[in-house]
Amino acid sequence: MIKTSLSFLLLLIIVTSTATASSWNPWSDSSPLLTINDQEYQTADFLNWWQEWREDNQAPTSIDPYIDWILLSTEAEQMQLQDQPSYQKKISTFLRVRSLMLLKNEEIDKKISPATDKTIYDYYVTDYTPRWQLQTITFRNKANLQQFVAAHTAAPEISSEEILTKMATPATDYLLSSPLWERPNHLPEKILQLLQETKEQRFSAPYEWSNTWQIIEVLAIEPASDKDFGQLRSTLEATYLKQQRTNLTAKLVQQLKRKYQVKIDKELLATIDHKGVPEEHAQQIVLQFLSHKISASELHATASKQYSSLSAQQKAKTPFTQTLQRVLSAIISQNLVDAEALDRHYEKQLPFKNTYDFYRSHRLIRALEQQIIQPKVKEITPAQIKQAYEQNKLKLSGPMAVEIVRGETTDADLATRLQAKLRQGETFTEIMAVLGNKGAKTETLPLAHLSTELQTALSKLQPGQTAMVADGDSFVFVRLITSPQQKVVAFDSIKDALETELKRGAFLERKQEIIEEYKRHEGDTGS
């Protein structure tokens, strides 16, 4: 026996305000909202379903869609459609994606500190100031560097250009860069440390760089300022929040590495370079965690593929080992986060549990529709499509349109004279010329876009006839070219859409027939 009683209280709770609803307690009534095949469904079950099902804020007017939903999903379960690989794949994908979103919200988004004026300013002072104007002198051999340092030590106030000019060194043995403004957060750690140690001095300590020797000249220093801070405010906030997300993500991955016991063979990893892996190590496991075991050759192949996608300029700046490490980190973080998201079983926790249960039933019903309902839908014939077109072509057609030539004036005396000339046989073209409409063009427009006065006048004209109409403050001279008519949509341009709509109607009709069969199978319906 199916009981289909939707209480007044339930409808009241949905449509009233929170303050009004709080005076009622829908959960105090222990009796079920309905029973299907001895399975009881409470008001809370219906409300959870409605939150997922509804497309707007309108209150439900019937419980029938809920009953249909239960009948279809129950039938699909009894047919064990949940065992189909296609169903399981869809559910798995949905659960993974939504679980990742919930994990991100729990471990990242909720832990981000708000970007207050103080935190942003502190971040600005620490990471963006001072601002240095720098140029770099690069020497091919150490002797030239030492000569430059000695010259600078002897005359600290002399610029780098003057020192280089006085040095007996070929111009090809050194390179003086163009001046650039740099902030702390844009500099490599080694360079930043050198500049911080330089303090008030003009030149940094020398350092070795990619088989050359370099020294940095500090041309100017700009400290923090309110003006600079104001110009960077929006960028600072975005970067500050992004940095927090990066740090929180890294922290989470480190925790998961310990939890899931990630094992990396660092000695084996060190044997991998852009050329490949020593043959004796190729099949050895370099990375192991969860159910993953990745060999040295597999890791090299993945890193090589990514490295080969870089441009020549990027390759010059990016060692292969850096790409290798990036690929390794990506494999670890992606799989660990996926595993952790699923391990937390958000699908068993509210509020996601309601959404997940709804989606499972939704996919089951879709599977049932494809397997049971769709094959039983009658084929739509060309004759049915043509019949639907003939029955609905006026609804499918455009608005009434009229083809006219017109001109107007606000001069009442001129309008009277021109109207007299029309009656005396002067051509409409000559009248248009007086109005300044030489070579007036024919226009086609919806009849509804014209004033009531013009519409009334046109209804009395035959094609080729003219009239003058007082329209507000204007006097309109109009010639009717084609009587008002409705533009009918061509059958060929709409037959595909009609066929789709007819198929949908046939499908819904067959679906309802099957639902009624299920209802009869379960028992009579009472209230």
Side-chain angles (χ1 to χ4, degrees):
M1 174 76 72
I2 301 177
K3 293 188 294 182
T4 57
S5 56
L6 182 58
S7 67
F8 170 77
L9 173 62
L10 173 60
L11 289 174
L12 182 65
I13 293 298
I14 294 175
V15 300
T16 55
S17 66
T18 303
T20 304
S22 64
S23 64
W24 296 84
N25 183 6
W27 321 123
S28 61
D29 185 2
S30 59
S31 61
L33 177 67
L34 61 93
T35 302
I36 298 179
N37 197 22
D38 297 327
Q39 174 68 45
E40 295 182 349
Y41 296 89
Q42 305 295 331
T43 301
D45 297 321
F46 175 80
L47 286 174
N48 291 334
W49 172 84
W50 177 252
Q51 289 297 322
E52 304 294 338
W53 173 265
R54 65 179 182 178
E55 297 179 350
D56 51 41
N57 292 323
Q58 295 297 317
T61 57
S62 169
I63 198 172
D64 290 341
Y66 182 47
I67 294 173
D68 296 347
W69 173 273
I70 294 172
L71 290 172
L72 290 171
S73 61
T74 301
E75 182 67 18
E77 285 183 359
Q78 292 175 350
M79 293 175 61
Q80 298 182 336
L81 298 183
Q82 64 270 23
D83 295 335
Q84 291 183 344
S86 59
Y87 169 83
Q88 292 178 355
K89 182 179 180 180
K90 288 182 175 68
I91 295 300
S92 176
T93 300
F94 176 76
L95 178 59
R96 174 179 171 273
V97 171
R98 294 297 292 270
S99 295
L100 283 171
M101 292 171 59
L102 292 166
L103 177 65
K104 175 180 176 291
N105 180 63
E106 187 175 326
E107 291 294 340
I108 310 296
D109 298 342
K110 286 185 176 180
K111 294 182 178 181
I112 291 178
S113 303
T116 64
D117 287 341
K118 184 181 185 309
T119 56
I120 294 301
Y121 189 78
D122 290 344
Y123 178 59
Y124 162 70
V125 171
T126 303
D127 283 41
Y128 282 74
T129 63
R131 189 165 170 249
W132 290 288
Q133 187 183 37
L134 310 171
Q135 66 180 359
T136 305
I137 308 100
T138 304
F139 298 95
R140 295 185 181 277
N141 60 73
K142 195 171 185 179
N144 289 336
L145 168 67
Q146 292 171 338
Q147 185 182 355
F148 180 91
V149 171
H152 161 62
T153 303
E157 299 304 320
I158 299 179
S159 68
S160 55
E161 289 90 341
E162 292 177 288
I163 295 174
L164 291 169
T165 300
K166 294 179 179 180
M167 286 175 56
T169 304
T172 54
D173 286 351
Y174 66 84
L175 176 66
L176 182 64
S177 72
S178 301
L180 290 174
W181 283 98
E182 297 286 1
R183 296 183 185 273
N185 63 318
H186 288 158
L187 293 170
E189 186 176 349
K190 179 180 179 180
I191 303 301
L192 178 60
Q193 183 178 351
L194 280 172
L195 289 172
Q196 290 170 339
E197 292 172 352
T198 300
K199 297 182 180 179
E200 301 300 325
Q201 300 175 44
R202 185 182 183 87
F203 292 96
S204 72
Y207 59 95
E208 191 172 356
W209 188 272
S210 187
N211 298 321
T212 64
W213 284 264
Q214 296 185 339
I215 191 168
I216 300 174
E217 182 178 12
V218 181
L219 301 175
I221 301 177
E222 284 188 358
S225 70
D226 290 341
K227 179 181 178 181
D228 186 40
F229 175 69
Q231 292 174 338
L232 293 173
R233 181 66 171 78
S234 58
T235 300
L236 286 165
E237 182 173 350
T239 308
Y240 172 74
L241 295 174
K242 181 180 179 180
Q243 187 61 51
Q244 282 196 76
R245 291 188 185 94
T246 300
N247 293 341
L248 287 167
T249 301
K251 182 180 178 181
L252 174 62
V253 171
Q254 289 304 316
Q255 292 172 349
L256 298 181
K257 282 182 179 180
R258 293 190 293 270
K259 176 179 178 178
Y260 293 104
Q261 300 179 355
V262 176
K263 297 178 182 178
I264 301 174
D265 190 332
K266 294 183 179 179
E267 292 184 1
L268 178 57
L269 183 64
T271 67
I272 305 175
D273 58 25
H274 69 284
K275 296 179 181 178
V277 186
E279 187 176 348
E280 63 272 20
H281 300 318
Q283 301 309 313
Q284 292 181 10
I285 303 301
V286 67
L287 173 63
Q288 183 174 348
F289 65 105
L290 296 170
S291 59
H292 302 285
K293 290 184 178 181
I294 299 175
S295 68
S297 61
E298 289 172 332
L299 181 61
H300 174 264
T302 303
S304 294
K305 184 177 180 179
Q306 184 165 323
Y307 190 73
S308 63
S309 66
L310 301 178
S311 65
Q313 187 177 6
Q314 289 173 320
K315 288 178 180 178
K317 297 179 180 179
T318 308
F320 178 80
T321 53
Q322 183 176 324
T323 300
L324 184 70
Q325 189 61 52
R326 187 182 297 117
V327 168
L328 183 72
S329 298
I331 292 172
I332 294 171
S333 60
Q334 180 176 330
N335 285 282
L336 287 182
V337 171
D338 282 355
E340 179 65 13
L342 294 175
D343 191 56
R344 297 200 180 187
H345 293 289
Y346 292 110
E347 75 278 10
K348 298 179 181 180
Q349 306 169 34
L350 294 175
F352 179 56
K353 181 181 184 301
N354 294 334
T355 300
Y356 179 69
D357 290 344
F358 176 91
Y359 184 77
R360 289 173 63 200
S361 294
H362 170 76
R363 293 311 328 174
L364 274 176
I365 291 172
R366 288 292 176 266
L368 179 72
E369 290 173 347
Q370 292 299 314
Q371 186 164 324
I372 300 299
I373 301 175
Q374 191 63 54
K376 296 182 180 180
V377 176
K378 295 179 181 178
E379 184 179 354
I380 302 300
T381 65
Q384 288 175 303
I385 301 172
K386 187 67 175 179
Q387 181 182 12
Y389 172 75
E390 294 298 335
Q391 291 174 345
N392 296 279
K393 64 180 178 181
L394 291 180
K395 296 179 183 178
L396 300 171
S397 300
M400 294 288 287
V402 64
E403 191 175 12
I404 60 173
V405 178
R406 61 176 168 171
E408 62 183 278
T409 180
T410 57
D411 187 332
D413 291 338
L414 175 61
T416 301
R417 292 197 305 272
L418 291 177
Q419 186 178 33
K421 289 184 177 183
L422 272 176
R423 289 171 178 169
Q424 294 167 7
E426 196 160 326
T427 67
F428 189 77
T429 302
E430 291 171 327
I431 298 299
M432 288 292 100
V434 174
L435 293 174
N437 290 6
K438 293 182 179 180
K441 293 182 179 179
T442 301
E443 55 181 330
T444 302
L445 67 166
L447 189 64
H449 288 189
L450 300 176
S451 67
T452 303
E453 290 78 9
L454 269 175
Q455 290 186 44
T456 301
L458 289 171
S459 68
K460 299 175 182 179
L461 300 179
Q462 294 296 320
Q465 292 181 337
T466 62
M468 187 194 79
V469 181
D471 188 3
D473 295 331
S474 297
F475 299 90
V476 180
F477 290 83
V478 61
R479 167 186 254 174
L480 178 65
I481 305 301
T482 304
S483 298
Q485 58 184 342
Q486 198 165 31
K487 185 177 180 181
V488 179
V489 177
F491 174 69
D492 288 342
S493 67
I494 202 171
K495 66 178 181 180
D496 291 342
L498 281 173
E499 183 178 10
T500 299
E501 188 60 28
L502 288 172
K503 285 181 177 179
R504 173 172 170 75
F507 171 82
L508 292 176
E509 182 180 352
R510 184 56 184 147
K511 179 178 178 179
Q512 194 57 44
E513 289 174 357
I514 289 178
I515 289 172
E516 295 304 322
E517 290 176 12
Y518 292 159
K519 288 181 179 179
R520 288 192 295 272
H521 175 71
E522 296 293 345
D524 295 331
T525 299
S527 59

